[in-house]
Amino acid sequence: SFLLFGRCTFMRAAACLLLALCAAASPAVDPIHKHMEPPPTKPARPVLRNPVSRPSRVGAGGLVASLFAPRSTLALLPAALMGMCFLQPRLMVRLMLHAIFCIGSLLEPFEPVLPKCSVVRCFVSQVQTARRAYEVKHGIAIGEQQFFDDDAEPESSEGAEEAL
């Protein structure tokens, strides 16, 4: 049994040695694949940044760029609006009215489905009140229905018959 076990190990070692010699003797590229082009190079991995953290900005250009970054601009917007309320109150009143009327005009087609007691409904009611005031001021009767008298039709038809 000892000789059998020894022979099996010798045979395995001889087979491994023959395989190693064959691999060393074979050319680096076989004749079939000799004319193929090399594999494409691997592209560099993309550089990813964390959207939550702020990148460090160096120098005066970086300071100016960081002041005009969208995040900084949004942070300064409420302060700028409050400053404009004190410096240009008429302009800010017009701006606020435009904002209210814009929102109200966008939501007016959805008035039947809006809740009765809602902040959104006040925008729509402001738009409707302003429209009615404009119509009254300029004498436009769009909201009212006007019916024609029945007497006016026979007169026009009599005039048409006399002409014939």
Side-chain angles (χ1 to χ4, degrees):
S1 141
F2 179 74
L3 289 175
L4 185 61
F5 182 70
R7 248 190 212 162
C8 190
T9 305
F10 176 73
M11 294 295 270
R12 283 183 191 167
C16 287
L17 185 62
L18 279 173
L19 283 174
L21 289 174
C22 288
S26 66
V29 178
D30 58 327
I32 296 172
H33 295 98
K34 183 168 57 173
H35 299 291
M36 290 181 65
E37 58 185 65
T41 59
K42 283 184 135 180
R45 295 178 67 188
V47 178
L48 302 176
R49 67 175 186 86
N50 188 353
V52 178
S53 68
R54 297 177 72 175
S56 62
R57 300 182 189 267
V58 181
L63 177 65
V64 172
S66 66
L67 285 177
F68 291 112
R71 191 176 291 172
S72 300
T73 306
L74 282 176
L76 293 175
L77 184 65
L81 288 175
M82 288 304 295
M84 288 297 291
C85 286
F86 291 111
L87 296 175
Q88 295 288 330
R90 286 185 179 174
L91 177 69
M92 289 307 294
V93 166
R94 288 185 63 198
L95 182 66
M96 290 302 293
L97 282 175
H98 278 290
I100 289 170
F101 290 151
C102 180
I103 294 170
S105 297
L106 289 173
L107 296 174
E108 192 174 15
F110 304 106
E111 182 192 9
V113 295
L114 291 176
K116 296 257 188 224
C117 297
S118 162
V119 176
V120 178
R121 188 173 280 277
C122 76
F123 291 113
V124 175
S125 64
Q126 286 295 321
V127 168
Q128 290 172 346
T129 305
R131 186 176 293 124
R132 276 189 234 111
Y134 179 83
E135 291 170 357
V136 168
K137 180 180 177 183
H138 294 285
I140 303 170
I142 295 176
E144 303 170 7
Q145 293 182 354
Q146 296 177 350
F147 296 102
F148 297 103
D149 294 335
D150 293 335
D151 298 337
E153 292 178 11
E155 292 175 6
S156 62
S157 63
E158 289 174 8
E161 291 174 4
E162 290 174 6
L164 291 175

